[in-house]
Amino acid sequence: MTKIYKKHQDVKEDLVTLVKSLASSGKYLLPPERELAVLLDVSRMTLRKAIGELIADGLIRQEGRKNEIVNSSGLLCNCGKILFVASGVQCAFHLQALERLWLNFAPIAKMQGADISLLLTDSSTGFNLVKAQIRQADVVLISPFKCNVTDEQVIAYLKELEKQKLVITLTECYFGAVKNIISLDNYAAGEMAAEALVKAGYRKIFLMGYSFEENNKDESFEKRIAGFSNVLKQHGLLRKNCIRLVERSAGEYGIKCREILNRAVEAGEDAVFIYSDESIQMIVSDICASGAVPDKFGIISLNGCGDSLRNIPPVSCVSHATMGVAEALLKTLADFSLKRLDLPVNILIKPELYDKGTIRRIFKIKAGFARNPKEGIQNSEFRSQNGNQKFKKQRNSCYGG
C-alpha cells in the first residue's frame, strides 16, 4: 500500500488542534518529537517545519529539547489567587511606571487563566485591611505601598510573609527584605544614561532629581545615581557637585530644577541626566526654547511618568523596561503554576535607550541585557538565577517601557 505523505500545512493544523486540546486539559508540554511524529503519522522533518511555524506564531516555545505550549487560556490557572499591591487611590496609581506595568501584565495574565486582583493603598489605608487582602492571596506581587504603619513594620511583615507564600517585589526598594525580585535594573539605567552622554561627546555632565529624607531613601533612585556616577568616574568625568538633588516640595520642584538647569548652562556645563521625568516639561522648557539642545547642551531622562516622550520636543530617555518586566513575571508565574519554579527569583531587566534628539547622535548602545543583582552577571538574555530558564526580551511598548 502506497503511503500518503501529509503536507506540512496539514500537519500544522493537526498540531494546532492538539495544542488546544492539551492546553484545555491542563497540559503544557507537547509529547517528545518521536512520539509526536507517530501520533500525527508524519515524518519528523515535516513535523519540525510545522513546529517551527507554531513557534513563530507564538503558540509554543522551545525550552531546551521540550516544546512548551504558551498563550493558552489555562497556563496560570494553578497559581491560585494573585494580588498586585501598589501605592494609589481607588483606581489611580501614584507611580505611573507601575500603572504601565499593571496594564501590560494583567490582561495577558487573565487571558492565561490567572485569578488576579489589584490592591492600591495610601497613607490612610489600615494595615489590617492590607493584611486581610494579602492573607487571601497565594502569590503577592509587591511594590512600595503606603498604609497607616511605618515602613519598618511593613518590611518586618514581608519577611514573615515570604515564609508562607510566594512574594515577588517589583522594585528594588524591598529587595533584601524580599528574596524574589523582578524589576528594572536601576543601576544599569544610570549607567546607560551616563554612557550615552559620554559617547555623544559631552564632558561637563551632572545628574539632577529630587531628594529623599535620610530615613525614607528610595533604593531604586540610589542605584540610578550609583550607576551614573560609576560611569563618569571610569571616564574621569566625575566632579564635585555633579549630583544635584532638589527637595520635592509641592509646586516648586520643577521651578527649582529649571533654575538649576539654566544656571548650569550659563556656567558652561553641557549635559544633564534627569533621573525621573516628573515635571520635565517645566524643567527643560527654557533650555529647549533657547536652541542650545542638542549641539551645545544634552538632556537625557528616565521614562518613569512617561512625560519624557510626551514632551514637545520629546526628550531622549532610558526606558523603564516595562514589557521586559511583564514578560518575566508571566514566565515566572507559569513556572510556579507548573510547579517547576526554582527559588529565589532574581531578575533585573536592563532598559533601552530612546534617542529622541535631545542628545547628539551616538553609536547605538546595546540594550536588552539582564543582571543578577547578587552576582552582576550580564548576558544577552535575561534569566532566573539558576540559569536554566532563559528567554529573549522583546522591545518595549510604543508608549514607553
Side-chain angles (χ1 to χ4, degrees):
M1 183 176 179
T2 305
K3 181 175 176 63
I4 300 175
Y5 291 94
K6 290 184 179 179
K7 296 179 179 179
H8 86 274
Q9 190 61 37
D10 296 329
V11 177
K12 179 183 177 181
E13 291 175 3
D14 291 345
L15 201 52
V16 169
T17 301
L18 177 63
V19 163
K20 291 179 179 178
S21 174
L22 290 172
S24 65
S25 62
K27 297 177 182 178
Y28 305 107
L29 287 176
L30 286 179
E33 185 182 283
R34 187 186 298 275
E35 182 181 332
L36 195 56
V38 172
L39 179 66
L40 298 178
D41 190 24
V42 64
S43 71
R44 294 174 71 174
M45 182 179 296
T46 304
L47 176 63
R48 286 170 189 163
K49 188 172 182 180
I51 288 174
E53 291 194 6
L54 262 65
I55 292 172
D57 292 342
L59 290 177
I60 60 177
R61 64 167 163 249
Q62 287 188 322
E63 292 282 348
R65 294 184 178 182
K66 297 178 181 179
N67 291 307
E68 180 179 294
I69 301 168
V70 296
N71 296 331
S72 57
S73 59
L75 189 60
L76 303 183
C77 64
N78 293 324
C79 288
K81 293 182 179 296
I82 303 170
L83 183 65
F84 190 111
V85 184
S87 179
V89 180
Q90 293 182 339
C91 60
F93 285 73
H94 286 159
L95 296 177
Q96 288 173 294
L98 285 169
E99 182 176 19
R100 287 202 308 276
L101 175 59
W102 168 256
L103 293 175
N104 279 282
F105 161 71
I108 300 175
K110 290 177 181 178
M111 286 174 58
Q112 295 184 356
D115 180 359
I116 185 169
S117 57
L118 174 66
L119 175 62
L120 295 179
T121 72
D122 60 21
S123 56
S124 67
T125 305
F127 193 34
N128 288 334
L129 172 63
V130 175
K131 290 193 289 186
Q133 293 285 320
I134 289 177
R135 196 157 43 241
Q136 298 175 34
D138 300 288
V139 178
V140 181
L141 307 178
I142 199 92
S143 62
F145 67 94
K146 297 294 182 183
C147 58
N148 63 352
V149 299
T150 65
D151 290 342
E152 288 74 16
Q153 288 174 281
V154 171
I155 288 173
Y157 168 70
L158 292 176
K159 286 181 178 179
E160 289 301 313
L161 181 68
E162 198 171 39
K163 299 174 184 177
Q164 306 165 26
K165 57 188 70 182
L166 178 62
V167 182
I168 301 174
T169 178
L170 305 177
T171 75
E172 293 177 288
C173 296
Y174 289 146
F175 184 59
V178 175
K179 295 177 182 176
N180 304 306
I181 181 171
I182 302 175
S183 169
L184 165 71
D185 188 336
N186 283 281
Y187 188 91
E191 285 183 316
M192 179 171 283
E195 198 67 47
L197 292 172
V198 171
K199 287 188 175 183
Y202 301 106
R203 290 299 175 261
K204 294 182 179 180
I205 304 167
F206 67 100
L207 175 147
M208 185 167 61
Y210 42 77
S211 61
F212 290 87
E213 296 177 5
E214 188 64 32
N215 61 349
N216 192 33
K217 288 189 175 181
D218 189 315
E219 187 73 16
S220 300
F221 293 101
E222 292 285 311
K223 290 194 174 183
R224 288 177 204 173
I225 294 172
F228 176 85
S229 301
N230 183 53
V231 169
L232 292 192
K233 185 177 181 180
Q234 289 176 4
H235 290 278
L237 299 175
L238 187 63
R239 303 170 293 128
K240 290 183 180 180
N241 196 32
C242 72
I243 308 298
R244 299 168 199 176
L245 303 181
V246 180
E247 186 179 345
R248 199 177 180 182
S249 53
E252 296 183 7
Y253 168 72
I255 296 172
K256 290 179 179 178
C257 286
R258 183 174 61 190
E259 292 172 352
I260 291 173
L261 191 58
N262 292 344
R263 288 198 298 269
V265 175
E266 293 172 1
E269 295 182 273
D270 61 3
V272 64
F273 170 41
I274 304 171
Y275 77 15
S276 173
D277 61 355
E278 183 178 328
S279 302
I280 195 143
Q281 183 175 4
M282 180 182 295
I283 294 170
V284 304
S285 57
D286 288 352
I287 184 65
C288 286
S290 72
V293 179
D295 292 335
K296 295 181 179 179
F297 195 90
I299 306 171
I300 192 167
S301 184
L302 189 133
N303 192 44
C305 300
D307 289 346
S308 293
L309 299 179
R310 283 190 287 265
N311 190 63
I312 301 174
V315 175
S316 298
C317 57
V318 175
S319 78
H320 213 279
T322 302
M323 286 303 296
V325 173
E327 289 171 25
L329 271 175
L330 291 166
K331 171 61 177 171
T332 299
L333 291 174
D335 288 342
F336 178 71
S337 180
L338 295 169
K339 303 186 186 307
R340 65 182 191 192
L341 180 63
D342 293 322
L343 298 174
V345 177
N346 291 323
I347 304 175
L348 296 180
I349 310 298
K350 280 200 172 183
E352 293 184 56
L353 177 66
Y354 297 149
D355 185 355
K356 296 299 177 181
T358 57
I359 58 176
R360 298 174 194 143
R361 186 169 295 279
I362 58 174
F363 294 109
K364 184 177 180 182
I365 292 185
K366 199 170 185 181
F369 298 105
R371 180 170 64 86
N372 184 302
K374 291 185 177 179
E375 301 176 8
I377 296 173
Q378 296 186 10
N379 39 64
S380 59
E381 298 164 323
F382 58 89
R383 61 182 71 208
S384 55
Q385 188 183 30
N386 59 42
N388 293 328
Q389 301 146 6
K390 59 183 180 179
F391 49 104
K392 292 187 178 179
K393 174 181 171 298
Q394 296 177 359
R395 293 185 61 82
N396 289 8
S397 59
C398 60
Y399 58 94

